[in-house]
Amino acid sequence: KQEVTQIPAALSVPEGENLVLNCSFTDSAIYNLQWFRQDPGKGLTSLLLIQSSQREQTSGRLNASLDKSSGRSTLYIAASQPGDSATYLCAVSETSGSRLTFGEGTQLTVNP
Amino acid sequence: DGGITQSPKYLFRKEGQNVTLSCEQNLNHDAMYWYRQDPGQGLRLIYYSQIVNDFQKGDIAEGYSVSREKKESFPLTVTSAQKNPTAFYLCASSTRDRGNYGYTFGSGTRLTVV
């Protein structure tokens, strides 16, 4: 059974700092990996999707990498801002259109 | 704009009552999902459907029921058999086609037992 772990569970940084969120998964036979953002009491917003054949994806200040063989992904946030404060969730799917398995998330606080 | 609409945003249920959460999508996605989120925890899969008139149990299906009569709609009923239904419920959809498609989530329904 696929298990997804995110480290750290919580992170507090000063504004402007670059930071890395980690995600690991136990079964490397994934179809894709997706990073989401969740604000308190809200739904999930998709940030980046990496197909299993890809190594990384970038969107603005966000960069996600994937090392499928070692079962790891990282989300890099450059020049963090208070508006980046949210919970970041990592999820993997095993086939297209199949169920997602989520990690428990990293709660990020960026202090002004 | 395409997306997923969940309603209501807040729902209150009395003990022993069944309630139904609505989820509608206009993305033409084949697959739809219901997840439950408890405070400080990740999302757990309740039910999912990959095609109309077919659905499968997820990890925590007990006390819940679904239907998929239309591609666009995947309502979730929380029955009286669900002993601890207070949670945040999220609906999602995805495409079954190969390609660079991910998953889209609704804005959630917060269910509280009163």
Side-chain angles (χ1 to χ4, degrees), chain A residues 1 31-32 34 36 38 41-44 46 49 51 54 89 93 95-100 102-104, chain B residues 31 33 35 37 42-43 45 48 50 59 88 90 94-103 105-107 110:
Chain A
K1 179 183 176 184
Y31 183 76
N32 63 37
Q34 199 161 0
F36 295 90
Q38 185 177 31
K42 305 293 185 182
L44 275 64
S46 178
L49 181 148
Q51 297 286 5
Q54 297 174 325
L89 294 158
S93 69
T95 59
S96 173
S98 73
R99 52 189 291 171
L100 287 172
F102 282 85
E104 294 191 353
Chain B
Y33 314 81
Y35 289 88
Q37 187 177 35
L43 278 68
L45 183 65
Y48 63 106
Q50 296 185 310
D59 299 322
F88 190 51
L90 287 160
S94 71
T95 178
R96 293 181 68 231
D97 296 331
R98 293 187 66 84
N100 196 26
Y101 297 107
Y103 300 78
F105 279 79
S107 57
R110 186 166 299 280

mmCIF file of all heavy atoms in Angstrom, chain A residues 1 31-32 34 36 38 41-44 46 49 51 54 89 93 95-100 102-104, chain B residues 31 33 35 37 42-43 45 48 50 59 88 90 94-103 105-107 110:
data_model
loop_
_atom_site.group_PDB
_atom_site.id
_atom_site.type_symbol
_atom_site.label_atom_id
_atom_site.label_comp_id
_atom_site.label_asym_id
_atom_site.label_seq_id
_atom_site.Cartn_x
_atom_site.Cartn_y
_atom_site.Cartn_z
ATOM 1 N N LYS A 1 0.837 -1.180 0.000
ATOM 2 C CA LYS A 1 0.000 0.000 0.000
ATOM 3 C C LYS A 1 0.882 1.242 0.000
ATOM 4 O O LYS A 1 1.822 1.351 0.777
ATOM 5 C CB LYS A 1 -0.896 -0.008 1.244
ATOM 6 C CG LYS A 1 -1.801 1.209 1.345
ATOM 7 C CD LYS A 1 -2.599 1.167 2.639
ATOM 8 C CE LYS A 1 -3.428 2.432 2.794
ATOM 9 N NZ LYS A 1 -4.136 2.459 4.086
ATOM 10 N N TYR A 31 2.285 7.275 -11.317
ATOM 11 C CA TYR A 31 1.977 7.873 -12.619
ATOM 12 C C TYR A 31 2.314 9.350 -12.613
ATOM 13 O O TYR A 31 2.886 9.876 -13.550
ATOM 14 C CB TYR A 31 0.508 7.665 -12.956
ATOM 15 C CG TYR A 31 0.113 8.195 -14.310
ATOM 16 C CD1 TYR A 31 0.454 7.515 -15.469
ATOM 17 C CD2 TYR A 31 -0.593 9.391 -14.433
ATOM 18 C CE1 TYR A 31 0.101 8.005 -16.716
ATOM 19 C CE2 TYR A 31 -0.953 9.886 -15.667
ATOM 20 C CZ TYR A 31 -0.600 9.179 -16.810
ATOM 21 O OH TYR A 31 -0.944 9.660 -18.037
ATOM 22 N N ASN A 32 1.936 10.029 -11.549
ATOM 23 C CA ASN A 32 2.334 11.422 -11.386
ATOM 24 C C ASN A 32 2.315 11.811 -9.915
ATOM 25 O O ASN A 32 1.835 11.054 -9.061
ATOM 26 C CB ASN A 32 1.466 12.382 -12.224
ATOM 27 C CG ASN A 32 0.005 12.380 -11.824
ATOM 28 O OD1 ASN A 32 -0.332 12.283 -10.653
ATOM 29 N ND2 ASN A 32 -0.877 12.518 -12.801
ATOM 30 N N GLN A 34 1.647 15.336 -7.450
ATOM 31 C CA GLN A 34 1.064 16.678 -7.489
ATOM 32 C C GLN A 34 1.266 17.366 -6.144
ATOM 33 O O GLN A 34 1.131 16.738 -5.086
ATOM 34 C CB GLN A 34 -0.430 16.575 -7.821
ATOM 35 C CG GLN A 34 -1.060 17.841 -8.337
ATOM 36 C CD GLN A 34 -2.373 17.576 -9.072
ATOM 37 O OE1 GLN A 34 -2.808 16.450 -9.200
ATOM 38 N NE2 GLN A 34 -3.010 18.635 -9.550
ATOM 39 N N PHE A 36 -0.196 20.475 -3.806
ATOM 40 C CA PHE A 36 -1.363 21.327 -3.613
ATOM 41 C C PHE A 36 -1.101 22.314 -2.487
ATOM 42 O O PHE A 36 -0.291 22.068 -1.593
ATOM 43 C CB PHE A 36 -2.591 20.498 -3.216
ATOM 44 C CG PHE A 36 -3.081 19.542 -4.266
ATOM 45 C CD1 PHE A 36 -2.600 18.249 -4.324
ATOM 46 C CD2 PHE A 36 -4.044 19.939 -5.178
ATOM 47 C CE1 PHE A 36 -3.066 17.353 -5.271
ATOM 48 C CE2 PHE A 36 -4.522 19.053 -6.132
ATOM 49 C CZ PHE A 36 -4.031 17.756 -6.178
ATOM 50 N N GLN A 38 -3.369 24.444 0.485
ATOM 51 C CA GLN A 38 -4.674 24.551 1.132
ATOM 52 C C GLN A 38 -4.636 25.676 2.157
ATOM 53 O O GLN A 38 -3.854 25.629 3.105
ATOM 54 C CB GLN A 38 -5.083 23.239 1.810
ATOM 55 C CG GLN A 38 -6.487 23.276 2.385
ATOM 56 C CD GLN A 38 -6.932 21.971 2.985
ATOM 57 O OE1 GLN A 38 -6.119 21.202 3.496
ATOM 58 N NE2 GLN A 38 -8.245 21.681 2.917
ATOM 59 N N GLY A 41 -9.672 26.234 6.017
ATOM 60 C CA GLY A 41 -11.092 26.145 5.717
ATOM 61 C C GLY A 41 -11.443 26.150 4.245
ATOM 62 O O GLY A 41 -12.615 26.280 3.886
ATOM 63 N N LYS A 42 -10.437 26.007 3.397
ATOM 64 C CA LYS A 42 -10.673 26.067 1.954
ATOM 65 C C LYS A 42 -10.367 24.732 1.289
ATOM 66 O O LYS A 42 -9.821 23.814 1.893
ATOM 67 C CB LYS A 42 -9.792 27.155 1.322
ATOM 68 C CG LYS A 42 -9.947 28.525 1.947
ATOM 69 C CD LYS A 42 -11.311 29.122 1.691
ATOM 70 C CE LYS A 42 -11.393 30.550 2.236
ATOM 71 N NZ LYS A 42 -12.744 31.136 2.041
ATOM 72 N N GLY A 43 -10.708 24.652 -0.001
ATOM 73 C CA GLY A 43 -10.351 23.476 -0.768
ATOM 74 C C GLY A 43 -8.893 23.503 -1.170
ATOM 75 O O GLY A 43 -8.128 24.360 -0.727
ATOM 76 N N LEU A 44 -8.520 22.558 -2.019
ATOM 77 C CA LEU A 44 -7.131 22.450 -2.464
ATOM 78 C C LEU A 44 -6.939 23.148 -3.801
ATOM 79 O O LEU A 44 -7.766 23.033 -4.701
ATOM 80 C CB LEU A 44 -6.737 20.976 -2.622
ATOM 81 C CG LEU A 44 -6.259 20.241 -1.380
ATOM 82 C CD1 LEU A 44 -7.355 20.151 -0.342
ATOM 83 C CD2 LEU A 44 -5.763 18.855 -1.747
ATOM 84 N N SER A 46 -4.288 23.309 -6.943
ATOM 85 C CA SER A 46 -3.157 22.622 -7.540
ATOM 86 C C SER A 46 -2.043 23.619 -7.840
ATOM 87 O O SER A 46 -2.277 24.678 -8.419
ATOM 88 C CB SER A 46 -3.587 21.923 -8.824
ATOM 89 O OG SER A 46 -2.495 21.299 -9.441
ATOM 90 N N LEU A 49 2.199 19.806 -11.115
ATOM 91 C CA LEU A 49 2.040 18.382 -11.380
ATOM 92 C C LEU A 49 3.267 17.901 -12.127
ATOM 93 O O LEU A 49 3.691 18.535 -13.111
ATOM 94 C CB LEU A 49 0.785 18.134 -12.213
ATOM 95 C CG LEU A 49 0.460 16.669 -12.552
ATOM 96 C CD1 LEU A 49 -1.037 16.468 -12.637
ATOM 97 C CD2 LEU A 49 1.115 16.247 -13.862
ATOM 98 N N GLN A 51 4.736 14.588 -14.081
ATOM 99 C CA GLN A 51 4.533 13.244 -14.573
ATOM 100 C C GLN A 51 5.738 12.383 -14.200
ATOM 101 O O GLN A 51 6.832 12.896 -13.969
ATOM 102 C CB GLN A 51 4.367 13.251 -16.103
ATOM 103 C CG GLN A 51 3.161 14.021 -16.589
ATOM 104 C CD GLN A 51 1.847 13.309 -16.357
ATOM 105 O OE1 GLN A 51 1.800 12.258 -15.736
ATOM 106 N NE2 GLN A 51 0.768 13.894 -16.856
ATOM 107 N N GLN A 54 9.040 12.963 -15.846
ATOM 108 C CA GLN A 54 9.660 14.271 -15.713
ATOM 109 C C GLN A 54 10.510 14.342 -14.456
ATOM 110 O O GLN A 54 10.320 13.568 -13.508
ATOM 111 C CB GLN A 54 8.579 15.360 -15.677
ATOM 112 C CG GLN A 54 7.760 15.432 -16.958
ATOM 113 C CD GLN A 54 6.608 16.410 -16.848
ATOM 114 O OE1 GLN A 54 6.008 16.562 -15.793
ATOM 115 N NE2 GLN A 54 6.290 17.064 -17.953
ATOM 116 N N LEU A 89 0.333 20.225 0.497
ATOM 117 C CA LEU A 89 0.081 18.787 0.453
ATOM 118 C C LEU A 89 0.696 18.173 -0.801
ATOM 119 O O LEU A 89 0.597 18.729 -1.895
ATOM 120 C CB LEU A 89 -1.427 18.523 0.460
ATOM 121 C CG LEU A 89 -2.164 18.916 1.746
ATOM 122 C CD1 LEU A 89 -3.632 19.128 1.473
ATOM 123 C CD2 LEU A 89 -1.988 17.851 2.803
ATOM 124 N N SER A 93 -0.405 9.543 -7.620
ATOM 125 C CA SER A 93 -1.377 8.643 -8.216
ATOM 126 C C SER A 93 -0.623 7.533 -8.931
ATOM 127 O O SER A 93 0.497 7.744 -9.397
ATOM 128 C CB SER A 93 -2.288 9.366 -9.205
ATOM 129 O OG SER A 93 -1.580 9.749 -10.353
ATOM 130 N N THR A 95 -2.048 5.484 -11.470
ATOM 131 C CA THR A 95 -2.427 5.451 -12.889
ATOM 132 C C THR A 95 -3.217 6.722 -13.183
ATOM 133 O O THR A 95 -3.733 7.363 -12.269
ATOM 134 C CB THR A 95 -3.306 4.235 -13.239
ATOM 135 O OG1 THR A 95 -4.490 4.282 -12.438
ATOM 136 C CG2 THR A 95 -2.570 2.934 -13.014
ATOM 137 N N SER A 96 -3.313 7.055 -14.461
ATOM 138 C CA SER A 96 -4.081 8.233 -14.839
ATOM 139 C C SER A 96 -5.534 8.074 -14.420
ATOM 140 O O SER A 96 -6.140 7.035 -14.676
ATOM 141 C CB SER A 96 -4.014 8.434 -16.348
ATOM 142 O OG SER A 96 -4.871 9.477 -16.746
ATOM 143 N N GLY A 97 -6.073 9.071 -13.747
ATOM 144 C CA GLY A 97 -7.468 9.001 -13.329
ATOM 145 C C GLY A 97 -7.702 8.112 -12.137
ATOM 146 O O GLY A 97 -8.846 7.788 -11.810
ATOM 147 N N SER A 98 -6.643 7.716 -11.466
ATOM 148 C CA SER A 98 -6.831 6.853 -10.299
ATOM 149 C C SER A 98 -6.777 7.676 -9.020
ATOM 150 O O SER A 98 -6.508 8.869 -9.040
ATOM 151 C CB SER A 98 -5.756 5.766 -10.261
ATOM 152 O OG SER A 98 -4.508 6.309 -9.885
ATOM 153 N N ARG A 99 -7.016 7.023 -7.931
ATOM 154 C CA ARG A 99 -7.062 7.677 -6.644
ATOM 155 C C ARG A 99 -5.726 8.294 -6.272
ATOM 156 O O ARG A 99 -4.666 7.780 -6.614
ATOM 157 C CB ARG A 99 -7.458 6.651 -5.595
ATOM 158 C CG ARG A 99 -6.599 5.405 -5.643
ATOM 159 C CD ARG A 99 -7.128 4.320 -4.757
ATOM 160 N NE ARG A 99 -6.979 4.660 -3.351
ATOM 161 C CZ ARG A 99 -7.513 3.963 -2.360
ATOM 162 N NH1 ARG A 99 -8.228 2.900 -2.625
ATOM 163 N NH2 ARG A 99 -7.331 4.316 -1.110
ATOM 164 N N LEU A 100 -5.783 9.390 -5.545
ATOM 165 C CA LEU A 100 -4.598 10.038 -5.009
ATOM 166 C C LEU A 100 -4.348 9.550 -3.597
ATOM 167 O O LEU A 100 -5.282 9.341 -2.830
ATOM 168 C CB LEU A 100 -4.786 11.550 -4.965
ATOM 169 C CG LEU A 100 -4.761 12.317 -6.288
ATOM 170 C CD1 LEU A 100 -5.168 13.757 -6.050
ATOM 171 C CD2 LEU A 100 -3.383 12.261 -6.904
ATOM 172 N N PHE A 102 -2.438 10.918 -0.303
ATOM 173 C CA PHE A 102 -1.924 12.176 0.217
ATOM 174 C C PHE A 102 -0.994 11.981 1.395
ATOM 175 O O PHE A 102 -1.159 11.048 2.201
ATOM 176 C CB PHE A 102 -3.086 13.051 0.700
ATOM 177 C CG PHE A 102 -3.843 13.737 -0.385
ATOM 178 C CD1 PHE A 102 -4.871 13.105 -1.042
ATOM 179 C CD2 PHE A 102 -3.508 15.031 -0.762
ATOM 180 C CE1 PHE A 102 -5.573 13.741 -2.058
ATOM 181 C CE2 PHE A 102 -4.203 15.677 -1.769
ATOM 182 C CZ PHE A 102 -5.237 15.027 -2.418
ATOM 183 N N GLY A 103 -0.053 12.909 1.522
ATOM 184 C CA GLY A 103 0.674 13.065 2.759
ATOM 185 C C GLY A 103 -0.161 13.910 3.712
ATOM 186 O O GLY A 103 -1.222 14.433 3.344
ATOM 187 N N GLU A 104 0.321 14.082 4.924
ATOM 188 C CA GLU A 104 -0.433 14.840 5.921
ATOM 189 C C GLU A 104 -0.184 16.338 5.837
ATOM 190 O O GLU A 104 -0.831 17.115 6.525
ATOM 191 C CB GLU A 104 -0.132 14.317 7.321
ATOM 192 C CG GLU A 104 -0.642 12.897 7.532
ATOM 193 C CD GLU A 104 -0.583 12.466 8.977
ATOM 194 O OE1 GLU A 104 -0.022 13.207 9.801
ATOM 195 O OE2 GLU A 104 -1.112 11.361 9.274
ATOM 196 N N ALA B 31 -13.484 10.719 -14.014
ATOM 197 C CA ALA B 31 -13.370 10.215 -12.649
ATOM 198 C C ALA B 31 -13.724 11.290 -11.624
ATOM 199 O O ALA B 31 -13.399 12.464 -11.800
ATOM 200 C CB ALA B 31 -11.951 9.715 -12.393
ATOM 201 N N TYR B 33 -14.206 11.864 -7.108
ATOM 202 C CA TYR B 33 -13.755 11.333 -5.828
ATOM 203 C C TYR B 33 -14.371 12.122 -4.668
ATOM 204 O O TYR B 33 -14.630 13.315 -4.799
ATOM 205 C CB TYR B 33 -12.224 11.447 -5.694
ATOM 206 C CG TYR B 33 -11.447 11.007 -6.896
ATOM 207 C CD1 TYR B 33 -11.278 11.853 -7.988
ATOM 208 C CD2 TYR B 33 -10.878 9.741 -6.949
ATOM 209 C CE1 TYR B 33 -10.564 11.457 -9.097
ATOM 210 C CE2 TYR B 33 -10.148 9.336 -8.068
ATOM 211 C CZ TYR B 33 -10.000 10.199 -9.130
ATOM 212 O OH TYR B 33 -9.295 9.804 -10.233
ATOM 213 N N TYR B 35 -13.282 12.853 -0.634
ATOM 214 C CA TYR B 35 -12.289 12.728 0.422
ATOM 215 C C TYR B 35 -12.838 13.356 1.699
ATOM 216 O O TYR B 35 -13.615 14.310 1.660
ATOM 217 C CB TYR B 35 -10.988 13.444 0.051
ATOM 218 C CG TYR B 35 -10.188 12.777 -1.033
ATOM 219 C CD1 TYR B 35 -10.420 13.066 -2.379
ATOM 220 C CD2 TYR B 35 -9.188 11.860 -0.723
ATOM 221 C CE1 TYR B 35 -9.672 12.452 -3.371
ATOM 222 C CE2 TYR B 35 -8.438 11.252 -1.709
ATOM 223 C CZ TYR B 35 -8.689 11.546 -3.029
ATOM 224 O OH TYR B 35 -7.950 10.937 -4.011
ATOM 225 N N GLN B 37 -11.475 15.104 5.354
ATOM 226 C CA GLN B 37 -10.311 15.673 6.024
ATOM 227 C C GLN B 37 -10.685 16.018 7.448
ATOM 228 O O GLN B 37 -11.634 16.758 7.697
ATOM 229 C CB GLN B 37 -9.811 16.920 5.291
ATOM 230 C CG GLN B 37 -8.511 17.463 5.835
ATOM 231 C CD GLN B 37 -8.002 18.650 5.045
ATOM 232 O OE1 GLN B 37 -8.775 19.463 4.561
ATOM 233 N NE2 GLN B 37 -6.683 18.746 4.887
ATOM 234 N N GLY B 42 -4.229 14.420 6.863
ATOM 235 C CA GLY B 42 -4.319 14.448 5.419
ATOM 236 C C GLY B 42 -5.699 14.031 4.949
ATOM 237 O O GLY B 42 -6.616 13.847 5.751
ATOM 238 N N LEU B 43 -5.872 13.893 3.652
ATOM 239 C CA LEU B 43 -7.156 13.520 3.080
ATOM 240 C C LEU B 43 -7.268 12.004 2.992
ATOM 241 O O LEU B 43 -6.318 11.318 2.606
ATOM 242 C CB LEU B 43 -7.291 14.114 1.673
ATOM 243 C CG LEU B 43 -7.730 15.575 1.581
ATOM 244 C CD1 LEU B 43 -6.658 16.508 2.105
ATOM 245 C CD2 LEU B 43 -8.099 15.913 0.147
ATOM 246 N N LEU B 45 -9.663 8.838 1.386
ATOM 247 C CA LEU B 45 -10.599 8.568 0.299
ATOM 248 C C LEU B 45 -11.816 7.807 0.801
ATOM 249 O O LEU B 45 -11.679 6.751 1.434
ATOM 250 C CB LEU B 45 -9.902 7.779 -0.803
ATOM 251 C CG LEU B 45 -10.713 7.479 -2.047
ATOM 252 C CD1 LEU B 45 -11.072 8.764 -2.787
ATOM 253 C CD2 LEU B 45 -9.934 6.537 -2.965
ATOM 254 N N TYR B 48 -14.867 6.542 -4.881
ATOM 255 C CA TYR B 48 -14.494 7.131 -6.144
ATOM 256 C C TYR B 48 -15.221 6.435 -7.278
ATOM 257 O O TYR B 48 -15.665 5.289 -7.142
ATOM 258 C CB TYR B 48 -12.985 7.132 -6.363
ATOM 259 C CG TYR B 48 -12.324 5.777 -6.436
ATOM 260 C CD1 TYR B 48 -11.876 5.267 -7.648
ATOM 261 C CD2 TYR B 48 -12.096 5.031 -5.283
ATOM 262 C CE1 TYR B 48 -11.241 4.038 -7.712
ATOM 263 C CE2 TYR B 48 -11.465 3.810 -5.343
ATOM 264 C CZ TYR B 48 -11.036 3.315 -6.549
ATOM 265 O OH TYR B 48 -10.410 2.094 -6.609
ATOM 266 N N GLN B 50 -14.974 5.995 -11.616
ATOM 267 C CA GLN B 50 -14.196 6.232 -12.831
ATOM 268 C C GLN B 50 -15.066 6.316 -14.072
ATOM 269 O O GLN B 50 -14.586 6.692 -15.151
ATOM 270 C CB GLN B 50 -13.131 5.143 -12.990
ATOM 271 C CG GLN B 50 -12.099 5.187 -11.862
ATOM 272 C CD GLN B 50 -10.976 4.208 -12.076
ATOM 273 O OE1 GLN B 50 -11.200 3.043 -12.346
ATOM 274 N NE2 GLN B 50 -9.750 4.682 -11.939
ATOM 275 N N ASP B 59 -10.932 4.026 1.324
ATOM 276 C CA ASP B 59 -10.392 3.505 2.575
ATOM 277 C C ASP B 59 -11.362 3.602 3.749
ATOM 278 O O ASP B 59 -11.233 2.878 4.725
ATOM 279 C CB ASP B 59 -9.101 4.258 2.927
ATOM 280 C CG ASP B 59 -8.040 4.077 1.860
ATOM 281 O OD1 ASP B 59 -7.928 2.960 1.315
ATOM 282 O OD2 ASP B 59 -7.338 5.062 1.552
ATOM 283 N N PHE B 88 -14.440 17.888 7.267
ATOM 284 C CA PHE B 88 -14.434 18.699 6.048
ATOM 285 C C PHE B 88 -14.410 17.735 4.870
ATOM 286 O O PHE B 88 -13.533 16.867 4.799
ATOM 287 C CB PHE B 88 -13.202 19.604 6.071
ATOM 288 C CG PHE B 88 -13.171 20.660 5.009
ATOM 289 C CD1 PHE B 88 -14.245 21.507 4.814
ATOM 290 C CD2 PHE B 88 -12.050 20.831 4.213
ATOM 291 C CE1 PHE B 88 -14.213 22.503 3.850
ATOM 292 C CE2 PHE B 88 -12.002 21.826 3.252
ATOM 293 C CZ PHE B 88 -13.082 22.661 3.066
ATOM 294 N N LEU B 90 -14.254 16.971 0.797
ATOM 295 C CA LEU B 90 -13.776 17.523 -0.461
ATOM 296 C C LEU B 90 -14.078 16.591 -1.618
ATOM 297 O O LEU B 90 -13.849 15.384 -1.534
ATOM 298 C CB LEU B 90 -12.263 17.758 -0.392
ATOM 299 C CG LEU B 90 -11.839 18.944 0.472
ATOM 300 C CD1 LEU B 90 -10.389 18.812 0.883
ATOM 301 C CD2 LEU B 90 -12.059 20.241 -0.271
ATOM 302 N N SER B 94 -10.906 14.023 -12.063
ATOM 303 C CA SER B 94 -9.723 13.919 -12.903
ATOM 304 C C SER B 94 -10.107 13.239 -14.213
ATOM 305 O O SER B 94 -11.151 12.605 -14.320
ATOM 306 C CB SER B 94 -8.604 13.131 -12.209
ATOM 307 O OG SER B 94 -8.944 11.754 -12.132
ATOM 308 N N THR B 95 -9.230 13.364 -15.190
ATOM 309 C CA THR B 95 -9.484 12.725 -16.467
ATOM 310 C C THR B 95 -8.810 11.365 -16.495
ATOM 311 O O THR B 95 -7.794 11.145 -15.838
ATOM 312 C CB THR B 95 -8.968 13.583 -17.627
ATOM 313 O OG1 THR B 95 -9.199 12.893 -18.855
ATOM 314 C CG2 THR B 95 -7.481 13.844 -17.482
ATOM 315 N N ARG B 96 -9.360 10.434 -17.239
ATOM 316 C CA ARG B 96 -8.752 9.113 -17.372
ATOM 317 C C ARG B 96 -7.835 9.039 -18.579
ATOM 318 O O ARG B 96 -7.167 8.066 -18.792
ATOM 319 C CB ARG B 96 -9.842 8.042 -17.512
ATOM 320 C CG ARG B 96 -10.676 7.864 -16.260
ATOM 321 C CD ARG B 96 -11.703 6.792 -16.438
ATOM 322 N NE ARG B 96 -11.090 5.475 -16.559
ATOM 323 C CZ ARG B 96 -11.359 4.631 -17.532
ATOM 324 N NH1 ARG B 96 -12.194 4.963 -18.498
ATOM 325 N NH2 ARG B 96 -10.796 3.449 -17.580
ATOM 326 N N ASP B 97 -7.834 10.095 -19.395
ATOM 327 C CA ASP B 97 -7.007 10.053 -20.588
ATOM 328 C C ASP B 97 -5.549 10.257 -20.237
ATOM 329 O O ASP B 97 -5.225 10.980 -19.305
ATOM 330 C CB ASP B 97 -7.437 11.154 -21.568
ATOM 331 C CG ASP B 97 -8.843 10.930 -22.066
ATOM 332 O OD1 ASP B 97 -9.255 9.761 -22.135
ATOM 333 O OD2 ASP B 97 -9.523 11.915 -22.377
ATOM 334 N N ARG B 98 -4.666 9.659 -21.004
ATOM 335 C CA ARG B 98 -3.254 9.908 -20.759
ATOM 336 C C ARG B 98 -2.934 11.345 -21.174
ATOM 337 O O ARG B 98 -3.426 11.837 -22.158
ATOM 338 C CB ARG B 98 -2.400 8.938 -21.574
ATOM 339 C CG ARG B 98 -2.547 7.502 -21.133
ATOM 340 C CD ARG B 98 -1.550 6.623 -21.854
ATOM 341 N NE ARG B 98 -0.192 6.941 -21.484
ATOM 342 C CZ ARG B 98 0.417 6.459 -20.410
ATOM 343 N NH1 ARG B 98 -0.243 5.671 -19.584
ATOM 344 N NH2 ARG B 98 1.664 6.756 -20.157
ATOM 345 N N GLY B 99 -2.099 11.975 -20.435
ATOM 346 C CA GLY B 99 -1.770 13.359 -20.735
ATOM 347 C C GLY B 99 -1.391 14.098 -19.482
ATOM 348 O O GLY B 99 -1.348 13.543 -18.403
ATOM 349 N N ASN B 100 -1.126 15.357 -19.616
ATOM 350 C CA ASN B 100 -0.627 16.124 -18.489
ATOM 351 C C ASN B 100 -1.778 16.739 -17.705
ATOM 352 O O ASN B 100 -1.840 17.960 -17.510
ATOM 353 C CB ASN B 100 0.323 17.212 -18.996
ATOM 354 C CG ASN B 100 1.169 17.781 -17.894
ATOM 355 O OD1 ASN B 100 1.428 17.122 -16.903
ATOM 356 N ND2 ASN B 100 1.588 19.012 -18.067
ATOM 357 N N TYR B 101 -2.719 15.884 -17.278
ATOM 358 C CA TYR B 101 -3.860 16.381 -16.525
ATOM 359 C C TYR B 101 -3.743 15.960 -15.077
ATOM 360 O O TYR B 101 -3.352 14.862 -14.764
ATOM 361 C CB TYR B 101 -5.164 15.835 -17.113
ATOM 362 C CG TYR B 101 -5.414 16.282 -18.530
ATOM 363 C CD1 TYR B 101 -5.277 15.386 -19.584
ATOM 364 C CD2 TYR B 101 -5.789 17.573 -18.813
ATOM 365 C CE1 TYR B 101 -5.508 15.782 -20.872
ATOM 366 C CE2 TYR B 101 -6.017 17.980 -20.109
ATOM 367 C CZ TYR B 101 -5.878 17.078 -21.137
ATOM 368 O OH TYR B 101 -6.112 17.469 -22.415
ATOM 369 N N GLY B 102 -4.114 16.847 -14.207
ATOM 370 C CA GLY B 102 -4.101 16.527 -12.788
ATOM 371 C C GLY B 102 -5.503 16.457 -12.248
ATOM 372 O O GLY B 102 -6.443 16.110 -12.948
ATOM 373 N N TYR B 103 -5.619 16.810 -11.030
ATOM 374 C CA TYR B 103 -6.868 16.708 -10.313
ATOM 375 C C TYR B 103 -7.346 18.100 -9.926
ATOM 376 O O TYR B 103 -6.564 18.957 -9.576
ATOM 377 C CB TYR B 103 -6.677 15.855 -9.071
ATOM 378 C CG TYR B 103 -6.220 14.453 -9.406
ATOM 379 C CD1 TYR B 103 -4.888 14.201 -9.732
ATOM 380 C CD2 TYR B 103 -7.110 13.402 -9.426
ATOM 381 C CE1 TYR B 103 -4.466 12.934 -10.071
ATOM 382 C CE2 TYR B 103 -6.686 12.129 -9.764
ATOM 383 C CZ TYR B 103 -5.358 11.902 -10.088
ATOM 384 O OH TYR B 103 -4.964 10.649 -10.427
ATOM 385 N N PHE B 105 -10.066 20.146 -7.391
ATOM 386 C CA PHE B 105 -10.854 20.004 -6.175
ATOM 387 C C PHE B 105 -11.905 21.092 -6.062
ATOM 388 O O PHE B 105 -11.721 22.218 -6.536
ATOM 389 C CB PHE B 105 -9.948 20.060 -4.939
ATOM 390 C CG PHE B 105 -9.261 18.769 -4.639
ATOM 391 C CD1 PHE B 105 -8.140 18.389 -5.354
ATOM 392 C CD2 PHE B 105 -9.745 17.922 -3.654
ATOM 393 C CE1 PHE B 105 -7.503 17.174 -5.095
ATOM 394 C CE2 PHE B 105 -9.120 16.713 -3.391
ATOM 395 C CZ PHE B 105 -7.999 16.341 -4.107
ATOM 396 N N GLY B 106 -13.005 20.740 -5.402
ATOM 397 C CA GLY B 106 -14.000 21.738 -5.037
ATOM 398 C C GLY B 106 -13.564 22.484 -3.779
ATOM 399 O O GLY B 106 -12.502 22.219 -3.218
ATOM 400 N N SER B 107 -14.411 23.416 -3.346
ATOM 401 C CA SER B 107 -14.059 24.256 -2.200
ATOM 402 C C SER B 107 -14.478 23.641 -0.867
ATOM 403 O O SER B 107 -14.204 24.219 0.186
ATOM 404 C CB SER B 107 -14.675 25.638 -2.352
ATOM 405 O OG SER B 107 -16.075 25.520 -2.497
ATOM 406 N N ARG B 110 -18.268 21.729 4.965
ATOM 407 C CA ARG B 110 -17.965 21.429 6.371
ATOM 408 C C ARG B 110 -19.229 20.917 7.035
ATOM 409 O O ARG B 110 -20.218 21.637 7.140
ATOM 410 C CB ARG B 110 -17.445 22.669 7.096
ATOM 411 C CG ARG B 110 -16.980 22.361 8.518
ATOM 412 C CD ARG B 110 -16.170 23.492 9.107
ATOM 413 N NE ARG B 110 -14.970 23.765 8.350
ATOM 414 C CZ ARG B 110 -13.844 23.067 8.425
ATOM 415 N NH1 ARG B 110 -13.770 22.026 9.235
ATOM 416 N NH2 ARG B 110 -12.791 23.427 7.719
#
